[in-house]
Structures are given as structure tokens and as C-alpha cells.
């Protein structure tokens, strides 16, 4: 099952590392990632992941990361952003 994970907040060292490390520990594969820093220090990241072999239920992935992170099934994300 593919999913979209979004992260937003104050920039700090190690955000990408901590999120991807947690995903790897849960057997979630990162398929694509984009991130940017908006002035002055606002971090945003969007990831497409394959959570089909995740060790925890999909709904618990964001909770495992200890950050304010939103995770949605890809089909839900696509439906919400269709014009």
C-alpha cells in the first residue's frame, strides 16, 4: 500500500534522518521525497512511501515518529487533491 507522508514545522537538524530512520525500522520504503525550507525557518517535506510491509498498522506510523506528521493512503490523498 502506497501512502503520502507530510511533515511541516520549524526547521532543525536531523528531521529527514529521524523520519526516514523510523520508517526504515518499520519496514516502510521511501519511493520519493521532496523537501524545502521556506524563509525564515519553516521546514516542509512530502514523501511517497510503500507501507505494504510495515511492521505496525498504517494508522500508527505517524505516532511512531514523535512529530506532527500526517500520513494518508495514496488513493485518499489523490482524491482530496483532485480538481
Amino acid at each position: 500500500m502506497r501512502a503520502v507522508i507530510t511533515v511541516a514545522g520549524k526547521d532543525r537538524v536531523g528531521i529527514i534522518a529521524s523520519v526516514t530512520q523510523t520508517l526504515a525500522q518499520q519496514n516502510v520504503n521511501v519511493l520519493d521525497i521532496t523537501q524545502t525550507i521556506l524563509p525564515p525557518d519553516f521546514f516542509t517535506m512530502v514523501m511517497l512511501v510503500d507501507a505494504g510491509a510495515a511492521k505496525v498498522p498504517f494508522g500508527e506510523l505517524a505516532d511512531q515518529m514523535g512529530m506532527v506528521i500526517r500520513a494518508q493512503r495514496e488513493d485518499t490523498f489523490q482524491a482530496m487533491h483532485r480538481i
Side-chain angles (χ1 to χ4, degrees):
M1 174 219 12
R2 289 167 36 138
V4 176
I5 296 176
T6 57
V7 180
K10 184 172 172 53
D11 188 32
R12 64 173 172 79
V13 173
I15 294 174
I16 296 171
S18 65
V19 171
T20 55
Q21 179 181 22
T22 300
L23 291 173
Q25 289 169 347
Q26 298 303 329
N27 204 35
V28 175
N29 187 35
V30 176
L31 303 173
D32 197 6
I33 183 172
T34 183
Q35 64 87 33
T36 191
I37 308 297
L38 302 171
D41 61 354
F42 189 75
F43 175 86
T44 62
M45 177 170 65
V46 179
M47 304 169 71
L48 178 63
V49 302
D50 181 351
K55 295 178 182 177
V56 297
F58 177 73
E60 294 178 23
L61 279 175
D63 294 338
Q64 294 284 321
M65 293 182 234
M67 302 163 116
V68 178
I69 295 174
R70 187 173 185 184
Q72 296 177 292
R73 297 174 74 98
E74 182 184 27
D75 54 351
T76 302
F77 182 86
Q78 294 290 356
M80 289 178 55
H81 294 88
R82 199 169 284 138
I83 296 177

